[in-house]
Amino acid sequence: MRQIAPKVAIELMNKNFERWGMPRKIKIDNGRPFVNMRHRDTPTLAILWWIGLGIEVIQNNPASPQENGAVENLQATLARWSHPKTHTRIEDFQKALDEAGRIQREVYMVSAKGYKSRISLFPELKTNTRVFSYECFDFQRVEQYLSERVWRRKIRHNGRIRFMGKEFHMGRPYAGKEVSISFDPIEKLWLIHDADGTLLNQSKREIVSQREILDFASR
């Protein structure tokens, strides 16, 4: 997964949405391609794309694979069923994965659920009404999401802080000071406060735009 470019990964996810409809929630771990490895609390364009589609994004705690136990177990099962080392062509491996996925959903009976298939337990897998289209994206959801969060950073020795790929100049006298960054969705302002709540800086600078997210997520 770390070798997949974020834009390619999102294109593949969009194809899944086209086939199965959009989920209400997506749970991710703390690695590439969906998470910023240097600042895991900073939302990436991938996360903001999902937020704009109306999908809740749940991010696991670092180094906690047990929080994604169902997915980890499923990957092991698919590996056993599809025998990846026996395939010399990626197309053959994909067919084997598709068939293993079909069996997992439609044939395998879950003993803990009264020996029913997953498709009978979750018929919405085939009848999901949350149909995907690029027109589903609403930037207001992104702004609301940003307004509900606070990010903490330390001002560098040159008097600047870097946030979501952009730099804010705070001044050298503030070097070493910890500050909090928040967003006002009404005034479209980024606000920077010190630990005592004193406003040190505010900016109408556009940190991330609707166009930037759509360009990233589109083919």
Side-chain angles (χ1 to χ4, degrees):
M1 287 296 291
R2 294 179 180 179
Q3 298 175 4
I4 301 176
K7 184 174 179 62
V8 173
I10 282 296
E11 289 176 357
L12 294 172
M13 292 293 291
N14 289 342
K15 288 180 180 179
N16 278 321
F17 295 163
E18 289 172 349
R19 179 180 179 184
W20 300 104
M22 292 188 298
R24 297 191 180 277
K25 300 179 182 180
I26 287 180
K27 194 173 187 182
I28 59 175
D29 61 15
N30 280 275
R32 284 180 52 85
F34 302 127
V35 173
N36 183 327
M37 296 298 289
R38 291 192 63 186
H39 296 290
R40 290 186 171 93
D41 64 334
T42 302
T44 58
L45 291 176
I47 291 175
L48 295 179
W49 167 243
W50 291 332
I51 294 296
L53 291 176
I55 301 171
E56 179 185 353
V57 180
I58 303 169
Q59 193 168 331
N60 285 348
N61 291 311
S64 302
Q66 66 273 15
E67 295 182 7
N68 238 11
V71 173
E72 299 289 344
N73 288 336
L74 176 59
Q75 290 175 342
T77 299
L78 288 177
R80 290 195 303 271
W81 290 5
S82 60
H83 306 291
K85 291 184 179 180
T86 65
H87 303 287
T88 57
R89 299 194 317 143
I90 191 67
E91 294 83 3
D92 295 334
F93 182 36
Q94 185 61 60
K95 288 180 181 179
L97 281 175
D98 291 342
E99 177 61 9
R102 185 191 70 80
I103 293 172
Q104 181 80 355
R105 287 189 303 273
E106 302 176 16
V107 179
Y108 182 77
M109 299 298 168
V110 184
S111 59
K113 299 292 184 179
Y115 291 95
K116 296 181 179 179
S117 68
R118 284 176 172 80
I119 200 69
S120 64
L121 290 168
F122 305 103
E124 60 271 22
L125 285 172
K126 285 189 173 181
T127 59
N128 188 353
T129 59
R130 288 168 56 85
V131 177
F132 168 76
S133 75
Y134 290 94
E135 286 69 34
C136 295
F137 181 83
D138 186 345
F139 192 65
Q140 288 187 343
R141 295 191 186 111
V142 174
E143 292 183 324
Q144 181 63 32
Y145 171 85
L146 294 173
S147 72
E148 294 170 353
R149 281 152 179 79
V150 176
W151 295 270
R152 290 176 173 79
R153 295 290 186 270
K154 181 178 287 188
I155 301 175
R156 300 194 302 251
H157 68 279
N158 60 1
R160 297 175 181 269
I161 54 174
R162 189 169 182 82
F163 177 68
M164 292 183 68
K166 307 293 192 302
E167 282 199 342
F168 291 90
H169 180 70
M170 304 297 297
R172 289 183 181 274
Y174 295 116
K177 184 183 288 288
E178 290 193 355
V179 296
S180 61
I181 305 170
S182 59
F183 178 69
D184 181 342
I186 305 300
E187 301 296 332
K188 314 298 184 185
L189 276 174
W190 286 95
L191 308 172
I192 302 175
H193 294 83
D194 65 12
D196 297 324
T198 302
L199 180 64
L200 301 180
N201 196 358
Q202 63 183 30
S203 175
K204 278 188 172 290
R205 186 178 185 185
E206 193 173 55
I207 297 297
V208 62
S209 68
Q210 175 172 324
R211 185 73 266 158
E212 185 180 2
I213 298 173
L214 288 174
D215 286 347
F216 165 77
S218 300
R219 294 188 182 92

